[in-house]
Amino acid sequence: MRFSIATAAVLLSGLTSVFAETFTVAVGKDGSLLYEPPSVTAKAGDVIQFQFMSKNHTITQSTFDKPCEAKADGVNSGFQFIPTETTVFPQWSITITNDTAPLWFYCAQGPHCQRGMVFAINPSAEKTFEKFKETALASPAPAAGGAAPAGGAPASSSAAAPGAEGTPAANAAGTAANSEGGAPVDSGAMSKAAAAWPVLLGSVIMGALVL
Ligand SMILES: *[C@@H]1O[C@H](CO)[C@@H](O)[C@H](O)[C@H]1NC(C)=O
Ligand SMILES: *[C@@H]1O[C@H](CO)[C@@H](O)[C@H](O)[C@H]1NC(C)=O
Protein backbone atom coordinates (compact mmCIF):
# COMPACT_ATOMS: atom_id res chain seq x y z
CA MET A 1 0.00 0.00 0.00
CA ARG A 2 1.30 3.42 -0.94
CA PHE A 3 0.77 6.71 0.79
CA SER A 4 -1.40 8.97 -1.27
CA ILE A 5 -0.76 12.68 -1.36
CA ALA A 6 -3.99 13.14 0.56
CA THR A 7 -2.77 10.82 3.33
CA ALA A 8 0.51 12.69 3.50
CA ALA A 9 -1.35 16.00 3.72
CA VAL A 10 -3.48 14.72 6.59
CA LEU A 11 -0.36 13.50 8.38
CA LEU A 12 1.37 16.83 7.85
CA SER A 13 -1.53 18.85 9.18
CA GLY A 14 -1.67 16.52 12.17
CA LEU A 15 2.02 17.11 12.80
CA THR A 16 1.53 20.86 12.54
CA SER A 17 -1.00 20.89 15.33
CA VAL A 18 1.02 18.47 17.45
CA PHE A 19 3.97 20.82 17.25
CA ALA A 20 2.07 24.08 17.71
CA GLU A 21 3.96 26.20 20.20
CA THR A 22 2.92 28.79 22.74
CA PHE A 23 5.11 31.87 23.03
CA THR A 24 4.86 33.83 26.26
CA VAL A 25 5.46 37.57 26.02
CA ALA A 26 5.83 39.64 29.19
CA VAL A 27 4.19 43.07 28.95
CA GLY A 28 5.78 45.73 31.14
CA LYS A 29 7.86 43.35 33.24
CA ASP A 30 9.44 45.09 36.26
CA GLY A 31 7.71 48.32 35.27
CA SER A 32 9.47 48.53 31.90
CA LEU A 33 7.93 49.92 28.70
CA LEU A 34 8.74 46.73 26.84
CA TYR A 35 7.34 43.54 25.42
CA GLU A 36 9.76 40.71 26.18
CA PRO A 37 10.71 39.29 23.77
CA PRO A 38 9.98 42.22 21.41
CA SER A 39 9.49 39.98 18.39
CA VAL A 40 8.71 36.33 17.70
CA THR A 41 8.85 34.04 14.68
CA ALA A 42 5.80 31.82 14.78
CA LYS A 43 4.05 29.40 12.47
CA ALA A 44 0.40 28.85 11.71
CA GLY A 45 -1.31 27.33 14.75
CA ASP A 46 1.11 28.84 17.24
CA VAL A 47 -0.25 30.92 20.09
CA ILE A 48 1.28 34.18 21.32
CA GLN A 49 0.27 34.67 24.94
CA PHE A 50 0.75 38.12 26.46
CA GLN A 51 1.07 38.49 30.22
CA PHE A 52 0.32 41.98 31.53
CA MET A 53 2.70 42.54 34.45
CA SER A 54 2.60 46.22 35.42
CA LYS A 55 1.01 49.64 34.90
CA ASN A 56 -1.79 49.96 32.35
CA HIS A 57 -0.82 48.72 28.91
CA THR A 58 -2.42 47.37 25.75
CA ILE A 59 -1.34 45.15 22.91
CA THR A 60 -2.92 46.84 19.90
CA GLN A 61 -2.50 45.88 16.27
CA SER A 62 -1.06 48.53 13.95
CA THR A 63 0.69 48.55 10.58
CA PHE A 64 4.37 48.58 9.63
CA ASP A 65 4.09 52.14 8.27
CA LYS A 66 2.14 53.58 11.23
CA PRO A 67 3.36 51.74 14.33
CA CYS A 68 1.52 53.95 16.81
CA GLU A 69 -1.91 53.99 15.17
CA ALA A 70 -4.54 51.31 15.65
CA LYS A 71 -5.23 49.34 12.49
CA ALA A 72 -8.88 49.87 11.54
CA ASP A 73 -9.90 46.22 11.79
CA GLY A 74 -7.03 45.10 14.00
CA VAL A 75 -7.12 43.17 17.25
CA ASN A 76 -6.74 44.93 20.60
CA SER A 77 -6.44 43.68 24.17
CA GLY A 78 -7.86 46.93 25.54
CA PHE A 79 -6.21 48.61 28.57
CA GLN A 80 -5.10 46.20 31.27
CA PHE A 81 -4.52 47.91 34.59
CA ILE A 82 -2.29 45.91 36.93
CA PRO A 83 -2.36 46.93 40.60
CA THR A 84 1.09 46.80 42.23
CA GLU A 85 0.20 43.89 44.54
CA THR A 86 -0.81 41.66 41.61
CA THR A 87 0.79 38.20 41.58
CA VAL A 88 -1.42 36.45 39.02
CA PHE A 89 -1.25 38.42 35.81
CA PRO A 90 -4.00 38.78 33.20
CA GLN A 91 -3.31 37.12 29.88
CA TRP A 92 -4.46 37.74 26.35
CA SER A 93 -3.52 35.66 23.34
CA ILE A 94 -3.44 35.59 19.58
CA THR A 95 -3.43 32.47 17.42
CA ILE A 96 -1.44 32.72 14.19
CA THR A 97 -3.38 31.71 11.10
CA ASN A 98 -1.01 32.94 8.37
CA ASP A 99 2.69 32.84 9.11
CA THR A 100 3.80 34.52 5.87
CA ALA A 101 2.22 37.84 6.84
CA PRO A 102 4.08 39.97 9.41
CA LEU A 103 1.89 41.37 12.22
CA TRP A 104 2.66 44.63 14.04
CA PHE A 105 1.60 45.83 17.49
CA TYR A 106 2.11 48.66 20.00
CA CYS A 107 0.99 49.87 23.41
CA ALA A 108 -1.75 52.48 23.03
CA GLN A 109 -1.13 54.02 26.46
CA GLY A 110 0.01 57.69 26.37
CA PRO A 111 3.43 57.98 24.69
CA HIS A 112 4.51 54.36 25.30
CA CYS A 113 4.67 53.59 21.56
CA GLN A 114 6.78 56.67 20.86
CA ARG A 115 9.11 55.40 23.61
CA GLY A 116 9.52 52.16 21.72
CA MET A 117 6.91 49.86 23.26
CA VAL A 118 6.24 47.88 20.08
CA PHE A 119 6.01 44.21 19.14
CA ALA A 120 6.22 42.19 15.93
CA ILE A 121 5.23 38.71 14.81
CA ASN A 122 7.12 37.29 11.82
CA PRO A 123 8.98 40.41 10.65
CA SER A 124 10.56 39.93 7.22
CA ALA A 125 13.95 40.71 5.69
CA GLU A 126 12.70 44.09 4.38
CA LYS A 127 10.20 44.86 7.11
CA THR A 128 12.37 44.32 10.16
CA PHE A 129 11.52 44.84 13.81
CA GLU A 130 14.34 47.42 14.01
CA LYS A 131 12.81 49.56 11.22
CA PHE A 132 9.37 49.26 12.79
CA LYS A 133 10.73 50.42 16.15
CA GLU A 134 12.64 53.32 14.51
CA THR A 135 9.40 54.50 12.90
CA ALA A 136 7.64 54.23 16.27
CA LEU A 137 10.34 56.30 18.02
CA ALA A 138 9.99 58.98 15.32
CA SER A 139 6.18 59.05 15.45
CA PRO A 140 4.43 62.22 16.57
CA ALA A 141 3.44 62.32 20.24
CA PRO A 142 -0.20 61.52 20.93
CA ALA A 143 -2.53 64.50 21.21
CA ALA A 144 -3.08 65.65 24.78
CA GLY A 145 -6.47 66.27 26.32
CA GLY A 146 -8.12 62.89 25.94
CA ALA A 147 -9.63 60.60 28.53
CA ALA A 148 -6.36 59.71 30.20
CA PRO A 149 -5.98 61.30 33.63
CA ALA A 150 -2.20 61.54 33.27
CA GLY A 151 0.32 61.08 30.49
CA GLY A 152 -1.92 62.00 27.60
CA ALA A 153 -4.55 60.18 25.63
CA PRO A 154 -3.93 57.01 23.68
CA ALA A 155 -2.75 57.62 20.12
CA SER A 156 -5.89 56.20 18.62
CA SER A 157 -9.18 55.10 19.98
CA SER A 158 -9.40 51.38 20.47
CA ALA A 159 -12.39 50.81 18.24
CA ALA A 160 -11.55 47.16 17.82
CA ALA A 161 -11.19 46.42 21.53
CA PRO A 162 -12.98 43.17 22.29
CA GLY A 163 -13.72 44.11 25.88
CA ALA A 164 -14.07 47.09 28.16
CA GLU A 165 -10.80 48.82 28.92
CA GLY A 166 -9.17 47.86 32.16
CA THR A 167 -11.34 44.81 32.51
CA PRO A 168 -9.23 41.67 32.48
CA ALA A 169 -12.11 39.23 32.59
CA ALA A 170 -13.79 37.60 29.66
CA ASN A 171 -12.81 39.53 26.59
CA ALA A 172 -14.66 37.94 23.72
CA ALA A 173 -12.64 36.25 21.03
CA GLY A 174 -12.39 38.27 17.86
CA THR A 175 -10.83 38.14 14.45
CA ALA A 176 -8.99 40.70 12.44
CA ALA A 177 -7.52 41.00 9.02
CA ASN A 178 -3.77 41.38 9.07
CA SER A 179 -1.98 44.29 7.55
CA GLU A 180 -0.51 42.63 4.50
CA GLY A 181 -2.53 39.69 3.36
CA GLY A 182 -6.03 39.94 4.75
CA ALA A 183 -5.79 36.65 6.59
CA PRO A 184 -7.28 36.69 10.07
CA VAL A 185 -5.63 36.30 13.42
CA ASP A 186 -7.80 35.12 16.25
CA SER A 187 -7.57 37.00 19.47
CA GLY A 188 -8.12 34.87 22.47
CA ALA A 189 -9.93 35.34 25.71
CA MET A 190 -8.35 37.07 28.65
CA SER A 191 -7.82 34.80 31.58
CA LYS A 192 -6.76 36.14 34.93
CA ALA A 193 -6.24 32.79 36.58
CA ALA A 194 -4.18 31.17 33.87
CA ALA A 195 -0.74 31.37 35.40
CA ALA A 196 0.44 31.68 38.95
CA TRP A 197 3.66 33.65 39.11
CA PRO A 198 5.98 33.57 42.06
CA VAL A 199 5.13 35.93 44.88
CA LEU A 200 8.72 37.13 44.65
CA LEU A 201 8.08 38.62 41.23
CA GLY A 202 5.06 40.40 42.62
CA SER A 203 7.18 42.03 45.28
CA VAL A 204 9.78 43.06 42.71
CA ILE A 205 7.20 45.05 40.78
CA MET A 206 5.77 46.56 43.96
CA GLY A 207 6.53 50.22 44.05
CA ALA A 208 6.78 50.51 40.29
CA LEU A 209 4.97 53.66 39.23
CA VAL A 210 1.56 52.95 37.81
CA LEU A 211 0.71 55.28 34.95
C1 LIG B 1 -5.90 52.82 31.91
O1 LIG B 1 -5.56 53.75 30.92
C2 LIG B 1 -6.66 54.27 30.20
C3 LIG B 1 -6.14 55.16 29.08
O2 LIG B 1 -5.24 56.11 29.55
C4 LIG B 1 -7.57 55.01 31.14
O3 LIG B 1 -8.69 55.49 30.43
C5 LIG B 1 -8.01 54.06 32.24
O4 LIG B 1 -8.79 54.78 33.17
C6 LIG B 1 -6.81 53.46 32.92
N1 LIG B 1 -7.28 52.47 33.89
C7 LIG B 1 -7.05 52.59 35.20
C8 LIG B 1 -7.69 51.56 36.08
O5 LIG B 1 -6.35 53.50 35.67
C1 LIG C 1 -0.98 34.94 3.91
O1 LIG C 1 -0.30 36.17 3.83
C2 LIG C 1 0.39 36.36 2.59
C3 LIG C 1 1.25 37.61 2.73
O2 LIG C 1 0.51 38.72 3.13
C4 LIG C 1 -0.64 36.45 1.47
O3 LIG C 1 0.01 36.65 0.24
C5 LIG C 1 -1.44 35.14 1.44
O4 LIG C 1 -2.46 35.25 0.51
C6 LIG C 1 -2.03 34.85 2.80
N1 LIG C 1 -2.59 33.50 2.81
C7 LIG C 1 -3.84 33.25 3.16
C8 LIG C 1 -4.25 31.83 3.14
O5 LIG C 1 -4.62 34.15 3.47
Side-chain angles (χ1 to χ4, degrees), residues 56 79 108-112 142-156 165 211:
N56 182 356
F79 288 99
Q109 180 64 268
H112 290 188
S156 302
E165 62 186 36
L211 188 82

Side-chain angles (χ1 to χ4, degrees), residues 153-194:
S156 302
S157 72
S158 50
E165 62 186 36
T167 311
N171 281 348
T175 59
N178 70 38
S179 47
E180 270 78 25
V185 292
D186 299 320
S187 69
M190 179 70 68
S191 148
K192 192 163 192 169

Side-chain angles (χ1 to χ4, degrees), residues 106-196:
Y106 71 109
C107 176
Q109 180 64 268
H112 290 188
C113 180
Q114 288 79 3
R115 292 186 191 163
M117 191 167 182
V118 291
F119 179 77
I121 300 172
N122 296 331
S124 66
E126 310 89 61
K127 296 183 175 181
T128 63
F129 173 78
E130 287 69 25
K131 281 186 196 166
F132 179 62
K133 185 167 177 175
E134 264 172 42
T135 310
L137 292 171
S139 295
S156 302
S157 72
S158 50
E165 62 186 36
T167 311
N171 281 348
T175 59
N178 70 38
S179 47
E180 270 78 25
V185 292
D186 299 320
S187 69
M190 179 70 68
S191 148
K192 192 163 192 169

Side-chain angles (χ1 to χ4, degrees), residues 49 51 87-91 191-198:
Q49 187 176 76
Q51 282 177 337
T87 53
V88 178
F89 302 106
Q91 300 188 13
S191 148
K192 192 163 192 169
W197 283 68

Side-chain angles (χ1 to χ4, degrees), residues 10-148:
V10 167
L11 278 175
L12 274 177
S13 65
L15 284 175
T16 301
S17 57
V18 164
F19 292 112
E21 286 176 83
T22 297
F23 295 85
T24 301
V25 178
V27 182
K29 190 177 176 191
D30 299 335
S32 69
L33 298 187
L34 293 170
Y35 301 99
E36 291 178 44
S39 141
V40 299
T41 300
K43 60 189 184 308
D46 288 351
V47 174
I48 319 298
Q49 187 176 76
F50 299 92
Q51 282 177 337
F52 290 82
M53 303 183 74
S54 74
K55 301 188 180 179
N56 182 356
H57 298 298
T58 75
I59 178 88
T60 302
Q61 192 174 7
S62 63
T63 59
F64 182 74
D65 293 329
K66 295 185 173 174
C68 303
E69 289 181 28
K71 187 178 182 302
D73 51 358
V75 294
N76 192 339
S77 67
F79 288 99
Q80 301 301 324
F81 174 76
I82 312 301
T84 48
E85 69 276 16
T86 301
T87 53
V88 178
F89 302 106
Q91 300 188 13
W92 187 81
S93 58
I94 291 170
T95 302
I96 304 305
T97 56
N98 182 351
D99 54 19
T100 57
L103 300 171
W104 310 100
F105 300 88
Y106 71 109
C107 176
Q109 180 64 268
H112 290 188
C113 180
Q114 288 79 3
R115 292 186 191 163
M117 191 167 182
V118 291
F119 179 77
I121 300 172
N122 296 331
S124 66
E126 310 89 61
K127 296 183 175 181
T128 63
F129 173 78
E130 287 69 25
K131 281 186 196 166
F132 179 62
K133 185 167 177 175
E134 264 172 42
T135 310
L137 292 171
S139 295

